[in-house]
Amino acid sequence: MKTKLFLIYILLMATNVSMAEPTLKKEDKGVGQQHNQQNEDKKIDDAEVEKYYAKLKYPPGFYQGAFLISFMGGGSLAPNGSFISHEKNYDSALQYRVVTKEVSQDYYPQAAVRSQDPGLYFKPTYTPGVASQFDFEYGWREKIGLGFTIMQNSLNAKRQDIIPGLSYYKEYVDPFPRERTIYRGNSMSFLATYHPIPRNFFDPYLVARAGVVSFTGEAHAGLTHDKFVYSNQISSGIGSIVGVGGGLNIYLGRYFGIKAEVDYYREFLKADQFSMRTLNSYQAMIGVFVNLSNVQYRLEQY
């Protein structure tokens, strides 16, 4: 009898264990699924954070989402083109007229210039003025930037000229050369850049620009002075500008750095004084830049 009771007890215990095992497996499976779901949610959140902050967390260098603002200053090198050549041809024609005394210099004391001597003429000089440039560039792609440029450049000359409006019947020339700004241009152009080595402290790049320019200065319609013109000042000066160049950004940290750039520009100009003239120049510039994306990220940390 005792043996039968013991066998019945063993049978009941085995039945309870077999019934409880699926329940335990079901509970373990539920906990595992919950844990996996938490991991998946965390991965999604991390991916969203990384996606949002990726453009801010990159090390120094160019990258997609970078926003660079830069200022550079420098000068023009070897300017040329029909705008300058026309003014130099005007100077040559004026020199001949001064030497042959077709224009008057009778404001000199009589002892200074004898009647048989040629007129007094001094050779003109042309010197490029200071150029300045602001760039706004956004990292459209990993290696490609888009933006715009605001630039100002000028060209000065020290030359003699007919004094306009002094006399309708008689032309007088300057006794000595005077400093003049013959060209001052303000341009706004779109830019596209290519950065072959992104995310690097040393960031070389190529750049192309195209836009519009407005300008003032002094110019002449022909090779001789027009006595009906009261001023040689350029009026309604407008045109277009295109340029290509190359440069180097050197990051001094994540937020700013120094840069240098060399460009070639070609301008197509027209004004009330002339229908179309060109101005070509090389420019060498140096300046500083700030990466506003990383600055924004730094501010968000506080």
Side-chain angles (χ1 to χ4, degrees):
M1 184 69 179
K2 291 182 178 179
T3 302
K4 290 182 178 180
L5 290 176
F6 179 74
L7 292 175
I8 293 171
Y9 176 77
I10 293 299
L11 181 62
L12 289 175
M13 289 295 294
T15 303
N16 290 335
V17 170
S18 63
M19 292 180 63
E21 185 175 356
T23 304
L24 292 173
K25 289 183 178 179
K26 184 176 180 181
E27 291 177 355
D28 292 342
K29 184 177 181 182
V31 173
Q33 288 179 343
Q34 183 178 4
H35 182 69
N36 291 337
Q37 184 63 38
Q38 290 177 350
N39 288 338
E40 291 296 328
D41 292 342
K42 186 176 185 303
K43 289 180 179 178
I44 293 175
D45 292 340
D46 291 343
E48 290 296 324
V49 171
E50 180 65 23
K51 181 179 178 181
Y52 180 74
Y53 286 103
K55 62 185 180 182
L56 306 177
K57 289 185 175 180
Y58 288 150
F62 187 83
Y63 50 81
Q64 183 177 356
F67 183 32
L68 307 180
I69 294 181
S70 62
F71 169 77
M72 292 187 292
S76 300
L77 306 173
N80 60 75
S82 60
F83 179 87
I84 296 178
S85 61
H86 183 277
E87 294 303 302
K88 290 183 177 180
N89 290 336
Y90 175 89
D91 290 335
S92 297
L94 179 61
Q95 177 181 4
Y96 177 81
R97 299 184 67 200
V98 171
V99 172
T100 59
K101 296 187 176 180
E102 287 186 29
V103 294
S104 177
Q105 291 182 313
D106 57 13
Y107 40 72
Y108 284 120
Q110 292 185 356
V113 181
R114 297 175 298 179
S115 59
Q116 67 270 24
D117 291 338
L120 294 178
Y121 182 80
F122 302 90
K123 291 183 178 180
T125 58
Y126 289 78
T127 56
V130 175
S132 57
Q133 179 174 304
F134 286 93
D135 281 347
F136 301 83
E137 180 185 0
Y138 176 74
W140 181 56
R141 291 289 187 268
E142 183 75 1
K143 297 181 179 182
I144 300 175
L146 299 176
F148 62 93
T149 296
I150 299 174
M151 183 181 68
Q152 182 182 86
N153 60 326
S154 61
L155 180 64
N156 302 321
K158 197 169 185 179
R159 66 200 292 204
Q160 290 171 278
D161 201 355
I162 301 296
I163 305 175
L166 186 62
S167 173
Y168 184 81
Y169 300 100
K170 196 172 184 179
E171 291 180 324
Y172 289 87
V173 70
D174 291 318
F176 302 102
R178 289 192 295 123
E179 190 76 33
R180 294 173 165 85
T181 299
I182 65 172
Y183 173 85
R184 184 181 300 278
N186 299 281
S187 66
M188 181 172 180
S189 56
F190 293 101
L191 69 83
T193 59
Y194 174 69
H195 300 254
I197 312 175
R199 309 186 196 180
N200 195 289
F201 278 96
F202 294 93
D203 174 29
Y205 62 89
L206 300 175
V207 60
R209 296 182 175 90
V212 296
V213 58
S214 64
F215 65 99
T216 59
E218 290 189 12
H220 303 85
L223 295 182
T224 59
H225 175 71
D226 184 355
K227 66 179 181 179
F228 299 101
V229 173
Y230 180 75
S231 173
N232 295 322
Q233 288 292 320
I234 293 174
S235 56
S236 304
I238 195 169
S240 59
I241 181 172
V242 294
V244 293
L248 175 66
N249 294 330
I250 302 176
Y251 286 78
L252 303 179
R254 296 183 60 187
Y255 313 105
F256 65 93
I258 60 176
K259 68 184 304 175
E261 185 174 309
V262 177
D263 302 283
Y264 169 77
Y265 287 104
R266 183 173 178 85
E267 301 178 45
F268 302 89
L269 310 173
K270 63 178 182 178
D272 291 343
Q273 286 78 5
F274 50 85
S275 57
M276 180 62 68
R277 292 176 188 172
T278 60
L279 180 61
N280 312 317
S281 63
Y282 294 91
Q283 290 191 1
M285 312 189 82
I286 190 169
V288 296
F289 68 89
V290 176
N291 185 343
L292 290 187
S293 294
N294 281 341
V295 171
Q296 175 190 350
Y297 174 69
R298 178 64 178 270
L299 293 176
E300 289 177 353
Q301 305 310 301
Y302 295 100

